[in-house]
Amino acid sequence: MGKELTKGNEAIVKAAVLAGCRAFYGYPITPASEIAEAAAKYLPAAGGTFVQAESEVAAINMLYGGAAAGVRAMTASSGPGISLMQEGISYIAGAELPCVIADIMRGGPGLGNIAPEQGDYNQVVKGGGHGNYRTLVVAPYSVQEMADLTTLAFDLADRYRNPVMVLADGFIGQMMEPVEFAPRAVLPEAPGWSVRGTAETRANLVSSIHLEPDMLERHVRKLEAKYREAERNEVRWENWRTEDAEIVLVGYGIMGRVLKSVVEMARAAGIRAGLLRPITLYPFPAAQVRELARRARAFAVVELSTGQLVDDVRLALEGRAPVEFFSRVGGNVPSAEEVLEFLERTFSARHAREEVLAHV
Amino acid sequence: MDRGMVVTNQEECKGCGLCVEACPPRVLRLSAGLNRYGYHPAEYSGSGCTGCGICYYACPEPGGITVERLVKVA
Amino acid sequence: MSSYAISHERAHAFYDHFERKGELPHQTHYCPGCGHGIVHKLLASAIDGLGVRDRTVLVSPVGCSVFAYYYFDTGNVQAAHGRAPAVATGIKRSRPDSIVVAYQGDGDLAAIGTAEIIHAANRGESMTVIFVNNGIYGMTGGQMAPTTPLGKQSTTSPGGREKWNDGYPVHVCELLNALDAPVYLERVSLGDNKQIMQAAKAIRRALEYQVKGLGFSLVEVLSPCPTIWKLTPVEAQKFVRDEMGALFVPGCVRDRGKEAEARPARAAAPALADVPRLIGLTSGEEAVPAAERDLDLRIKIAGFGGQGVLMLGEVLAEAGLEAGYEVSWLPSYGPEMRSGTSNCHVRIGRHPVDSPLVSRPNVLLALNEPSLRKFLPAVEPGGVAIYNGREVPEGCERDDVRLAAIPVTAIADGIGAGKVANIVMLGALLELCEVVDEERVRGALRRLIHNDRYYELDLAALERGREEGRKLAAEAYGWGV
């Protein structure tokens, strides 16, 4: 198939349908509404279901029902809606249902604004709902990845029987780029554990209750083991010009794009920079961060929040290297020039400081 | 022979007494003895059942009461 | 000869033993005299009677009946508090042949889940809702329910439910009766034998309507809670009949079973091979040409909403893609759609696009003066800027930028449609700067503009723009390609 100029939000839906998604339950919100709009068009065309729910609370619970019935199902929203969905996401994780949830981040807190931000990192990557669970999180940085990682998200959801989140920002959702979609559509069989209103599935139960403490502990340990397995097998990242990097930039989503420009400009200005771009935010490429610390002098995290991704980088490094931090929020996306200026300022200052220290 | 017959499940019964109250011919009663859970289970007095089945519906336990009816057989 | 034959026994829709319950698997977890057991039996009998055990999916709520799945030998899904109608919607829409029953209590349905029940009913979801109303929160230990009668004490209305503080008891059937979609709404009671038999009929009817493919049915069952009410089971039953029944009068609120039309069956799923086409993906293997020139266009287009800023960008990106370049298109988005300023960033180049954000454009297309003033300073030296006007406004000079003023709106008005001003500007751009071939632009317009009249206007606009561009390039500026 050739490449089609496609909007990020629309790419998610087309990839989802090709991956066998046949149920979409959603509620409109800027900047994610095009996902629901595309779903309203394409899901029924492919023989699936689209329902505009009365709220994000209802949408996530419809998703729970659709996933319980053994259908590949998804929803999409933005920060305020994702906050409302957290209850349902906890139930979905507890009941071990596979599904895909896209969060096209906007500015917060509260109503914030509709411009791109990355302030949902903690609520998406660290859980957000009650109880001991994780969601697997993929973070596209291009429209092509909106498609590819949505496909991956459905596969991971089935493999781990766990919700998988596609965490993108308003820019990645709204921009158009050429996309090469999967050449053919697939439709996986309904899983054996699902409840489909048939004789063979009559004995099945979907539930997140484990009344006895020992039973619940066993269940939580089982979930935990699943997450450890994902940490071993599903970490995805991109290293870009890191082979000889002294300064490793870390950023995801739209910032991953800007930072690629920054790396080029920094190198032209004499700073040997590289980029580590996490593609999965959970599991986080912690070992890959540590690996780069063997050569790099310092790390610089750039994100559209006041410091959420940076915590994971610091945790991964365990003090092995200094971590500098630069952010813009409120819907402002820093230009490459702005980040470069930060790098020059920070690292020349640091250099000077180290020089001084070296002479003490 | 009575038109009906009622069998109470002594193990399942929680002694709520709703069947006793519901029975039109008043032929059910709570036993003086206790079942192993400590309830006074319902029991059939032994005669007078009409097989109406009201007690079956009044009883909150799925298998608490079984009702039989007299039928002609060849 | 006569002998006894069983006429009423444990329904097949119940498990023989309640293994999921763990201890005491012979009996339910409900208190002696609890109405849930009776409602369970009526529902199980209806499932048996209609022969739909295999097809049934029971959605259990949060509340005392949270463990309904211990008992029902049907498919079971346990839902979050209040969300059973949403979960049931998800199941039913995905498995239209299943028989979906949402079983809910009063706190679940009439308080926390009010939105879900109203909207499931309003969509006419083909499901059966069993609403057990005992006027109190049982499982959590006797707090006030949305259906607790005025004056009635509970642990959270210790002085009795008081209208100024707590509002009034919610009448669910009457509330749902305000909607168009529901097929069947009936309130029944477990207050005495006659009422129980009426409840059995209603529950069976509600299920039967779903089997027939009709829409939404709800049966509200007034049900005793002897433990929390601190009454004996027999006293509680009388309380249901006399007190609850006076407040929530039993009866059929709506039965449109005869005239309701069945929800249309979903169209058969298309062949998998057809899916890409059905979602608008062309299967064409057209070879994409190699990019001809070593372009690196960083284009910023700005104007006010409605000037076709985003569309102009899209045409450029589409044309670039067709000509074999790497492209990206990034809009400002949101309320600008309605008014205010609008801008977009387009990149067209031979190499993969790193940042789609254009902070240092080498092409600026400013469709109004504020946009020119705002973005001209950022234009890279040697870049091109085209302004929509007869002359460059004062204070907007840049010696190192090739700046052209073309009144594209006025020209478009001359063609007969101010809306195509953006395409006039595009035509001029093709003359003033090395972009993509006009043929590619025409191809992009053909794909993006579905209305033939507008397409023709756009072609005319493109041509007029080119004329203006050529004039400028030749006469005044001397920097044509």
mmCIF file with all atom_site columns, all heavy atoms in Angstrom, chain A residues 111-133:
data_model
loop_
_atom_site.group_PDB
_atom_site.id
_atom_site.type_symbol
_atom_site.label_atom_id
_atom_site.label_alt_id
_atom_site.label_comp_id
_atom_site.label_asym_id
_atom_site.label_entity_id
_atom_site.label_seq_id
_atom_site.pdbx_PDB_ins_code
_atom_site.Cartn_x
_atom_site.Cartn_y
_atom_site.Cartn_z
_atom_site.occupancy
_atom_site.B_iso_or_equiv
_atom_site.pdbx_formal_charge
_atom_site.auth_seq_id
_atom_site.auth_comp_id
_atom_site.auth_asym_id
_atom_site.auth_atom_id
_atom_site.pdbx_PDB_model_num
ATOM 1   N N   . LEU A 1 111 ? -9.394  22.633 33.613 1.00 0.00 ? 111 LEU A N   1
ATOM 2   C CA  . LEU A 1 111 ? -9.760  22.774 32.208 1.00 0.00 ? 111 LEU A CA  1
ATOM 3   C C   . LEU A 1 111 ? -8.541  23.141 31.370 1.00 0.00 ? 111 LEU A C   1
ATOM 4   O O   . LEU A 1 111 ? -8.464  22.804 30.210 1.00 0.00 ? 111 LEU A O   1
ATOM 5   C CB  . LEU A 1 111 ? -10.857 23.839 32.068 1.00 0.00 ? 111 LEU A CB  1
ATOM 6   C CG  . LEU A 1 111 ? -11.858 23.655 30.939 1.00 0.00 ? 111 LEU A CG  1
ATOM 7   C CD1 . LEU A 1 111 ? -12.352 22.211 30.837 1.00 0.00 ? 111 LEU A CD1 1
ATOM 8   C CD2 . LEU A 1 111 ? -13.032 24.596 31.120 1.00 0.00 ? 111 LEU A CD2 1
ATOM 9   N N   . GLY A 1 112 ? -7.565  23.784 32.033 1.00 0.00 ? 112 GLY A N   1
ATOM 10  C CA  . GLY A 1 112 ? -6.301  24.093 31.360 1.00 0.00 ? 112 GLY A CA  1
ATOM 11  C C   . GLY A 1 112 ? -6.534  24.741 30.021 1.00 0.00 ? 112 GLY A C   1
ATOM 12  O O   . GLY A 1 112 ? -7.205  25.762 29.922 1.00 0.00 ? 112 GLY A O   1
ATOM 13  N N   . ASN A 1 113 ? -5.984  24.153 28.977 1.00 0.00 ? 113 ASN A N   1
ATOM 14  C CA  . ASN A 1 113 ? -6.321  24.592 27.628 1.00 0.00 ? 113 ASN A CA  1
ATOM 15  C C   . ASN A 1 113 ? -6.201  23.406 26.693 1.00 0.00 ? 113 ASN A C   1
ATOM 16  O O   . ASN A 1 113 ? -5.995  22.275 27.142 1.00 0.00 ? 113 ASN A O   1
ATOM 17  C CB  . ASN A 1 113 ? -5.440  25.773 27.200 1.00 0.00 ? 113 ASN A CB  1
ATOM 18  C CG  . ASN A 1 113 ? -3.967  25.399 27.083 1.00 0.00 ? 113 ASN A CG  1
ATOM 19  O OD1 . ASN A 1 113 ? -3.619  24.237 26.904 1.00 0.00 ? 113 ASN A OD1 1
ATOM 20  N ND2 . ASN A 1 113 ? -3.104  26.386 27.166 1.00 0.00 ? 113 ASN A ND2 1
ATOM 21  N N   . ILE A 1 114 ? -6.364  23.659 25.408 1.00 0.00 ? 114 ILE A N   1
ATOM 22  C CA  . ILE A 1 114 ? -6.406  22.535 24.473 1.00 0.00 ? 114 ILE A CA  1
ATOM 23  C C   . ILE A 1 114 ? -5.106  22.387 23.703 1.00 0.00 ? 114 ILE A C   1
ATOM 24  O O   . ILE A 1 114 ? -5.001  21.568 22.802 1.00 0.00 ? 114 ILE A O   1
ATOM 25  C CB  . ILE A 1 114 ? -7.585  22.683 23.494 1.00 0.00 ? 114 ILE A CB  1
ATOM 26  C CG1 . ILE A 1 114 ? -7.480  24.014 22.750 1.00 0.00 ? 114 ILE A CG1 1
ATOM 27  C CG2 . ILE A 1 114 ? -8.901  22.581 24.245 1.00 0.00 ? 114 ILE A CG2 1
ATOM 28  C CD1 . ILE A 1 114 ? -8.476  24.145 21.624 1.00 0.00 ? 114 ILE A CD1 1
ATOM 29  N N   . ALA A 1 115 ? -4.117  23.168 24.074 1.00 0.00 ? 115 ALA A N   1
ATOM 30  C CA  . ALA A 1 115 ? -2.832  23.101 23.385 1.00 0.00 ? 115 ALA A CA  1
ATOM 31  C C   . ALA A 1 115 ? -2.026  21.908 23.912 1.00 0.00 ? 115 ALA A C   1
ATOM 32  O O   . ALA A 1 115 ? -2.328  21.373 24.973 1.00 0.00 ? 115 ALA A O   1
ATOM 33  C CB  . ALA A 1 115 ? -2.083  24.412 23.602 1.00 0.00 ? 115 ALA A CB  1
ATOM 34  N N   . PRO A 1 116 ? -1.005  21.497 23.169 1.00 0.00 ? 116 PRO A N   1
ATOM 35  C CA  . PRO A 1 116 ? -0.296  20.274 23.559 1.00 0.00 ? 116 PRO A CA  1
ATOM 36  C C   . PRO A 1 116 ? 0.507   20.438 24.855 1.00 0.00 ? 116 PRO A C   1
ATOM 37  O O   . PRO A 1 116 ? 1.132   21.465 25.078 1.00 0.00 ? 116 PRO A O   1
ATOM 38  C CB  . PRO A 1 116 ? 0.650   20.027 22.382 1.00 0.00 ? 116 PRO A CB  1
ATOM 39  C CG  . PRO A 1 116 ? 0.816   21.352 21.733 1.00 0.00 ? 116 PRO A CG  1
ATOM 40  C CD  . PRO A 1 116 ? -0.476  22.075 21.929 1.00 0.00 ? 116 PRO A CD  1
ATOM 41  N N   . GLU A 1 117 ? 0.433   19.435 25.681 1.00 0.00 ? 117 GLU A N   1
ATOM 42  C CA  . GLU A 1 117 ? 1.239   19.372 26.889 1.00 0.00 ? 117 GLU A CA  1
ATOM 43  C C   . GLU A 1 117 ? 1.526   17.904 27.149 1.00 0.00 ? 117 GLU A C   1
ATOM 44  O O   . GLU A 1 117 ? 0.950   17.041 26.486 1.00 0.00 ? 117 GLU A O   1
ATOM 45  C CB  . GLU A 1 117 ? 0.461   19.997 28.070 1.00 0.00 ? 117 GLU A CB  1
ATOM 46  C CG  . GLU A 1 117 ? 1.360   20.811 28.993 1.00 0.00 ? 117 GLU A CG  1
ATOM 47  C CD  . GLU A 1 117 ? 0.655   21.221 30.280 1.00 0.00 ? 117 GLU A CD  1
ATOM 48  O OE1 . GLU A 1 117 ? 0.134   20.325 30.969 1.00 0.00 ? 117 GLU A OE1 1
ATOM 49  O OE2 . GLU A 1 117 ? 0.647   22.430 30.591 1.00 0.00 ? 117 GLU A OE2 1
ATOM 50  N N   . GLN A 1 118 ? 2.412   17.625 28.091 1.00 0.00 ? 118 GLN A N   1
ATOM 51  C CA  . GLN A 1 118 ? 2.693   16.230 28.436 1.00 0.00 ? 118 GLN A CA  1
ATOM 52  C C   . GLN A 1 118 ? 2.473   15.999 29.923 1.00 0.00 ? 118 GLN A C   1
ATOM 53  O O   . GLN A 1 118 ? 3.161   15.213 30.561 1.00 0.00 ? 118 GLN A O   1
ATOM 54  C CB  . GLN A 1 118 ? 4.125   15.863 28.008 1.00 0.00 ? 118 GLN A CB  1
ATOM 55  C CG  . GLN A 1 118 ? 4.294   15.914 26.489 1.00 0.00 ? 118 GLN A CG  1
ATOM 56  C CD  . GLN A 1 118 ? 5.691   15.575 26.025 1.00 0.00 ? 118 GLN A CD  1
ATOM 57  O OE1 . GLN A 1 118 ? 6.675   15.905 26.677 1.00 0.00 ? 118 GLN A OE1 1
ATOM 58  N NE2 . GLN A 1 118 ? 5.790   14.914 24.865 1.00 0.00 ? 118 GLN A NE2 1
ATOM 59  N N   . GLY A 1 119 ? 1.483   16.703 30.437 1.00 0.00 ? 119 GLY A N   1
ATOM 60  C CA  . GLY A 1 119 ? 1.227   16.668 31.876 1.00 0.00 ? 119 GLY A CA  1
ATOM 61  C C   . GLY A 1 119 ? 0.504   15.423 32.357 1.00 0.00 ? 119 GLY A C   1
ATOM 62  O O   . GLY A 1 119 ? 0.323   15.230 33.552 1.00 0.00 ? 119 GLY A O   1
ATOM 63  N N   . ASP A 1 120 ? 0.066   14.558 31.428 1.00 0.00 ? 120 ASP A N   1
ATOM 64  C CA  . ASP A 1 120 ? -0.634  13.332 31.850 1.00 0.00 ? 120 ASP A CA  1
ATOM 65  C C   . ASP A 1 120 ? 0.326   12.183 32.108 1.00 0.00 ? 120 ASP A C   1
ATOM 66  O O   . ASP A 1 120 ? -0.113  11.069 32.398 1.00 0.00 ? 120 ASP A O   1
ATOM 67  C CB  . ASP A 1 120 ? -1.634  12.884 30.772 1.00 0.00 ? 120 ASP A CB  1
ATOM 68  C CG  . ASP A 1 120 ? -2.815  13.829 30.636 1.00 0.00 ? 120 ASP A CG  1
ATOM 69  O OD1 . ASP A 1 120 ? -2.884  14.794 31.426 1.00 0.00 ? 120 ASP A OD1 1
ATOM 70  O OD2 . ASP A 1 120 ? -3.653  13.604 29.760 1.00 0.00 ? 120 ASP A OD2 1
ATOM 71  N N   . TYR A 1 121 ? 1.635   12.445 31.956 1.00 0.00 ? 121 TYR A N   1
ATOM 72  C CA  . TYR A 1 121 ? 2.602   11.350 32.093 1.00 0.00 ? 121 TYR A CA  1
ATOM 73  C C   . TYR A 1 121 ? 2.356   10.550 33.363 1.00 0.00 ? 121 TYR A C   1
ATOM 74  O O   . TYR A 1 121 ? 2.178   9.335  33.328 1.00 0.00 ? 121 TYR A O   1
ATOM 75  C CB  . TYR A 1 121 ? 4.019   11.935 32.082 1.00 0.00 ? 121 TYR A CB  1
ATOM 76  C CG  . TYR A 1 121 ? 5.124   10.893 32.101 1.00 0.00 ? 121 TYR A CG  1
ATOM 77  C CD1 . TYR A 1 121 ? 5.690   10.439 30.913 1.00 0.00 ? 121 TYR A CD1 1
ATOM 78  C CD2 . TYR A 1 121 ? 5.619   10.368 33.296 1.00 0.00 ? 121 TYR A CD2 1
ATOM 79  C CE1 . TYR A 1 121 ? 6.717   9.495  30.915 1.00 0.00 ? 121 TYR A CE1 1
ATOM 80  C CE2 . TYR A 1 121 ? 6.634   9.429  33.305 1.00 0.00 ? 121 TYR A CE2 1
ATOM 81  C CZ  . TYR A 1 121 ? 7.183   8.998  32.115 1.00 0.00 ? 121 TYR A CZ  1
ATOM 82  O OH  . TYR A 1 121 ? 8.189   8.059  32.129 1.00 0.00 ? 121 TYR A OH  1
ATOM 83  N N   . ASN A 1 122 ? 2.304   11.239 34.489 1.00 0.00 ? 122 ASN A N   1
ATOM 84  C CA  . ASN A 1 122 ? 2.165   10.490 35.739 1.00 0.00 ? 122 ASN A CA  1
ATOM 85  C C   . ASN A 1 122 ? 0.848   9.740  35.829 1.00 0.00 ? 122 ASN A C   1
ATOM 86  O O   . ASN A 1 122 ? 0.817   8.579  36.221 1.00 0.00 ? 122 ASN A O   1
ATOM 87  C CB  . ASN A 1 122 ? 2.313   11.427 36.948 1.00 0.00 ? 122 ASN A CB  1
ATOM 88  C CG  . ASN A 1 122 ? 3.773   11.743 37.230 1.00 0.00 ? 122 ASN A CG  1
ATOM 89  O OD1 . ASN A 1 122 ? 4.678   11.085 36.691 1.00 0.00 ? 122 ASN A OD1 1
ATOM 90  N ND2 . ASN A 1 122 ? 4.028   12.740 38.058 1.00 0.00 ? 122 ASN A ND2 1
ATOM 91  N N   . GLN A 1 123 ? -0.240  10.384 35.457 1.00 0.00 ? 123 GLN A N   1
ATOM 92  C CA  . GLN A 1 123 ? -1.527  9.691  35.610 1.00 0.00 ? 123 GLN A CA  1
ATOM 93  C C   . GLN A 1 123 ? -1.672  8.526  34.646 1.00 0.00 ? 123 GLN A C   1
ATOM 94  O O   . GLN A 1 123 ? -2.432  7.605  34.899 1.00 0.00 ? 123 GLN A O   1
ATOM 95  C CB  . GLN A 1 123 ? -2.731  10.652 35.517 1.00 0.00 ? 123 GLN A CB  1
ATOM 96  C CG  . GLN A 1 123 ? -3.159  11.076 34.136 1.00 0.00 ? 123 GLN A CG  1
ATOM 97  C CD  . GLN A 1 123 ? -4.664  11.415 34.077 1.00 0.00 ? 123 GLN A CD  1
ATOM 98  O OE1 . GLN A 1 123 ? -5.445  10.962 34.885 1.00 0.00 ? 123 GLN A OE1 1
ATOM 99  N NE2 . GLN A 1 123 ? -5.047  12.227 33.112 1.00 0.00 ? 123 GLN A NE2 1
ATOM 100 N N   . VAL A 1 124 ? -0.947  8.547  33.556 1.00 0.00 ? 124 VAL A N   1
ATOM 101 C CA  . VAL A 1 124 ? -1.048  7.442  32.602 1.00 0.00 ? 124 VAL A CA  1
ATOM 102 C C   . VAL A 1 124 ? 0.034   6.388  32.854 1.00 0.00 ? 124 VAL A C   1
ATOM 103 O O   . VAL A 1 124 ? -0.234  5.198  32.895 1.00 0.00 ? 124 VAL A O   1
ATOM 104 C CB  . VAL A 1 124 ? -0.950  7.980  31.147 1.00 0.00 ? 124 VAL A CB  1
ATOM 105 C CG1 . VAL A 1 124 ? -0.736  6.846  30.160 1.00 0.00 ? 124 VAL A CG1 1
ATOM 106 C CG2 . VAL A 1 124 ? -2.230  8.739  30.807 1.00 0.00 ? 124 VAL A CG2 1
ATOM 107 N N   . VAL A 1 125 ? 1.272   6.866  33.054 1.00 0.00 ? 125 VAL A N   1
ATOM 108 C CA  . VAL A 1 125 ? 2.396   5.924  33.152 1.00 0.00 ? 125 VAL A CA  1
ATOM 109 C C   . VAL A 1 125 ? 2.468   5.289  34.534 1.00 0.00 ? 125 VAL A C   1
ATOM 110 O O   . VAL A 1 125 ? 2.873   4.144  34.686 1.00 0.00 ? 125 VAL A O   1
ATOM 111 C CB  . VAL A 1 125 ? 3.716   6.652  32.802 1.00 0.00 ? 125 VAL A CB  1
ATOM 112 C CG1 . VAL A 1 125 ? 4.910   5.734  32.982 1.00 0.00 ? 125 VAL A CG1 1
ATOM 113 C CG2 . VAL A 1 125 ? 3.661   7.176  31.370 1.00 0.00 ? 125 VAL A CG2 1
ATOM 114 N N   . LYS A 1 126 ? 2.060   6.030  35.552 1.00 0.00 ? 126 LYS A N   1
ATOM 115 C CA  . LYS A 1 126 ? 2.204   5.522  36.925 1.00 0.00 ? 126 LYS A CA  1
ATOM 116 C C   . LYS A 1 126 ? 0.906   4.931  37.447 1.00 0.00 ? 126 LYS A C   1
ATOM 117 O O   . LYS A 1 126 ? 0.802   4.627  38.624 1.00 0.00 ? 126 LYS A O   1
ATOM 118 C CB  . LYS A 1 126 ? 2.630   6.663  37.856 1.00 0.00 ? 126 LYS A CB  1
ATOM 119 C CG  . LYS A 1 126 ? 3.892   7.380  37.418 1.00 0.00 ? 126 LYS A CG  1
ATOM 120 C CD  . LYS A 1 126 ? 5.080   6.463  37.514 1.00 0.00 ? 126 LYS A CD  1
ATOM 121 C CE  . LYS A 1 126 ? 6.344   7.192  37.078 1.00 0.00 ? 126 LYS A CE  1
ATOM 122 N NZ  . LYS A 1 126 ? 7.517   6.326  37.151 1.00 0.00 ? 126 LYS A NZ  1
ATOM 123 N N   . GLY A 1 127 ? -0.086  4.810  36.611 1.00 0.00 ? 127 GLY A N   1
ATOM 124 C CA  . GLY A 1 127 ? -1.351  4.255  37.095 1.00 0.00 ? 127 GLY A CA  1
ATOM 125 C C   . GLY A 1 127 ? -2.420  5.315  37.023 1.00 0.00 ? 127 GLY A C   1
ATOM 126 O O   . GLY A 1 127 ? -2.931  5.598  35.967 1.00 0.00 ? 127 GLY A O   1
ATOM 127 N N   . GLY A 1 128 ? -2.754  5.936  38.118 1.00 0.00 ? 128 GLY A N   1
ATOM 128 C CA  . GLY A 1 128 ? -3.790  6.965  38.077 1.00 0.00 ? 128 GLY A CA  1
ATOM 129 C C   . GLY A 1 128 ? -5.040  6.514  38.786 1.00 0.00 ? 128 GLY A C   1
ATOM 130 O O   . GLY A 1 128 ? -5.721  7.294  39.432 1.00 0.00 ? 128 GLY A O   1
ATOM 131 N N   . GLY A 1 129 ? -5.360  5.262  38.674 1.00 0.00 ? 129 GLY A N   1
ATOM 132 C CA  . GLY A 1 129 ? -6.503  4.709  39.405 1.00 0.00 ? 129 GLY A CA  1
ATOM 133 C C   . GLY A 1 129 ? -6.028  4.031  40.672 1.00 0.00 ? 129 GLY A C   1
ATOM 134 O O   . GLY A 1 129 ? -4.850  4.050  41.004 1.00 0.00 ? 129 GLY A O   1
ATOM 135 N N   . HIS A 1 130 ? -6.985  3.409  41.382 1.00 0.00 ? 130 HIS A N   1
ATOM 136 C CA  . HIS A 1 130 ? -6.655  2.795  42.671 1.00 0.00 ? 130 HIS A CA  1
ATOM 137 C C   . HIS A 1 130 ? -6.079  1.394  42.494 1.00 0.00 ? 130 HIS A C   1
ATOM 138 O O   . HIS A 1 130 ? -6.410  0.687  41.556 1.00 0.00 ? 130 HIS A O   1
ATOM 139 C CB  . HIS A 1 130 ? -7.901  2.736  43.558 1.00 0.00 ? 130 HIS A CB  1
ATOM 140 C CG  . HIS A 1 130 ? -9.041  2.004  42.925 1.00 0.00 ? 130 HIS A CG  1
ATOM 141 N ND1 . HIS A 1 130 ? -9.800  2.543  41.902 1.00 0.00 ? 130 HIS A ND1 1
ATOM 142 C CD2 . HIS A 1 130 ? -9.531  0.770  43.152 1.00 0.00 ? 130 HIS A CD2 1
ATOM 143 C CE1 . HIS A 1 130 ? -10.715 1.663  41.548 1.00 0.00 ? 130 HIS A CE1 1
ATOM 144 N NE2 . HIS A 1 130 ? -10.573 0.581  42.272 1.00 0.00 ? 130 HIS A NE2 1
ATOM 145 N N   . GLY A 1 131 ? -5.243  1.024  43.422 1.00 0.00 ? 131 GLY A N   1
ATOM 146 C CA  . GLY A 1 131 ? -4.759  -0.356 43.464 1.00 0.00 ? 131 GLY A CA  1
ATOM 147 C C   . GLY A 1 131 ? -3.441  -0.561 42.742 1.00 0.00 ? 131 GLY A C   1
ATOM 148 O O   . GLY A 1 131 ? -2.919  0.326  42.069 1.00 0.00 ? 131 GLY A O   1
ATOM 149 N N   . ASN A 1 132 ? -2.906  -1.760 42.895 1.00 0.00 ? 132 ASN A N   1
ATOM 150 C CA  . ASN A 1 132 ? -1.609  -2.112 42.318 1.00 0.00 ? 132 ASN A CA  1
ATOM 151 C C   . ASN A 1 132 ? -1.776  -2.634 40.904 1.00 0.00 ? 132 ASN A C   1
ATOM 152 O O   . ASN A 1 132 ? -2.064  -3.814 40.697 1.00 0.00 ? 132 ASN A O   1
ATOM 153 C CB  . ASN A 1 132 ? -0.939  -3.194 43.165 1.00 0.00 ? 132 ASN A CB  1
ATOM 154 C CG  . ASN A 1 132 ? -0.444  -2.635 44.487 1.00 0.00 ? 132 ASN A CG  1
ATOM 155 O OD1 . ASN A 1 132 ? 0.486   -1.841 44.511 1.00 0.00 ? 132 ASN A OD1 1
ATOM 156 N ND2 . ASN A 1 132 ? -1.088  -3.024 45.570 1.00 0.00 ? 132 ASN A ND2 1
ATOM 157 N N   . TYR A 1 133 ? -1.647  -1.741 39.959 1.00 0.00 ? 133 TYR A N   1
ATOM 158 C CA  . TYR A 1 133 ? -1.691  -2.176 38.562 1.00 0.00 ? 133 TYR A CA  1
ATOM 159 C C   . TYR A 1 133 ? -0.868  -1.206 37.745 1.00 0.00 ? 133 TYR A C   1
ATOM 160 O O   . TYR A 1 133 ? -0.513  -0.123 38.198 1.00 0.00 ? 133 TYR A O   1
ATOM 161 C CB  . TYR A 1 133 ? -3.137  -2.222 38.045 1.00 0.00 ? 133 TYR A CB  1
ATOM 162 C CG  . TYR A 1 133 ? -3.723  -0.859 37.753 1.00 0.00 ? 133 TYR A CG  1
ATOM 163 C CD1 . TYR A 1 133 ? -3.634  -0.311 36.474 1.00 0.00 ? 133 TYR A CD1 1
ATOM 164 C CD2 . TYR A 1 133 ? -4.324  -0.101 38.747 1.00 0.00 ? 133 TYR A CD2 1
ATOM 165 C CE1 . TYR A 1 133 ? -4.135  0.962  36.208 1.00 0.00 ? 133 TYR A CE1 1
ATOM 166 C CE2 . TYR A 1 133 ? -4.831  1.162  38.487 1.00 0.00 ? 133 TYR A CE2 1
ATOM 167 C CZ  . TYR A 1 133 ? -4.740  1.684  37.221 1.00 0.00 ? 133 TYR A CZ  1
ATOM 168 O OH  . TYR A 1 133 ? -5.227  2.941  36.950 1.00 0.00 ? 133 TYR A OH  1
#
